[in-house]
Amino acid sequence: MSTRRIKLRKSVRLAKIENQNNRQVTFSKCRNGVFKKANELAVMTGAEVGIIVCPQGSKPYSFGHPNVNETINKYVGKERPPSPSGIDDNKLKKMNKNVESQQEWFKGPIEKMNYTKASMLNGGLEDLLLKVKNYGAEHGYSYENGKWKAE
């Protein structure tokens, strides 16, 4: 039977490394490991990644996918990234105000609604009830005589 040594990971005590050469070697290894993981994250998920590492008394190191400057300017710079739908923030706010103003009638008392608005409300409530009943049926419930029953 051969004896085989298994290399285990050692737990590292977190403290400042006093020896300058050892500190530089450790920094380089850790920096490369972090950059490698960031690259894997960007490639596997399609995420935009930007990392800047500034060691004490040395020049900063950066990693970015696709480009660190573009990524940083996109989120920190003056220009905001476009929304995924292609609509800018101001246009979206105007659209929200438009929708809210069209739905103001919904907040008032039913007695003051005209026939058109009342029929719209009735249709919407019937659609909602149908959706709730379908959802309940999909999850093992039935709606009979105004009450829910487990099937």
Side-chain angles (χ1 to χ4, degrees), residues 13 28-29 31 36 46 48-49 54 67 80 82 92 99 107 109 121-123 130 132 139 141 143 147:
R13 185 176 56 96
S28 296
K29 287 181 180 180
R31 180 195 68 218
K36 183 178 176 184
E48 292 185 34
V49 179
C54 303
N67 180 331
R80 299 271 313 176
L92 190 60
V99 169
K107 296 178 183 176
L121 177 61
N122 186 32
L130 182 63
V132 170
H139 291 83
Y141 293 93
Y143 187 78
K147 295 184 180 179

Side-chain angles (χ1 to χ4, degrees), residues 53-71:
V53 180
C54 303
Q56 207 171 26
S58 182
K59 65 177 185 163
Y61 296 90
S62 63
F63 170 82
H65 191 275
N67 180 331
V68 72
N69 291 331
E70 288 177 17
T71 304

Side-chain angles (χ1 to χ4, degrees), residues 49-117:
V49 179
I51 298 175
I52 300 174
V53 180
C54 303
Q56 207 171 26
S58 182
K59 65 177 185 163
Y61 296 90
S62 63
F63 170 82
H65 191 275
N67 180 331
V68 72
N69 291 331
E70 288 177 17
T71 304
I72 290 171
N73 286 339
K74 187 173 183 179
Y75 294 98
V76 179
K78 292 179 182 176
E79 289 187 21
R80 299 271 313 176
S83 68
S85 62
I87 301 171
D88 67 336
D89 289 342
N90 293 334
K91 195 172 188 179
L92 190 60
K93 286 178 185 175
K94 287 179 185 176
M95 288 171 60
N96 284 340
K97 285 182 182 177
N98 245 352
V99 169
E100 287 173 5
S101 66
Q102 289 174 357
Q103 294 179 350
E104 288 296 318
W105 62 268
F106 199 84
K107 296 178 183 176
I110 293 176
E111 294 81 21
K112 293 186 178 179
M113 285 186 190
N114 62 26
Y115 177 77
T116 307
K117 291 179 181 177

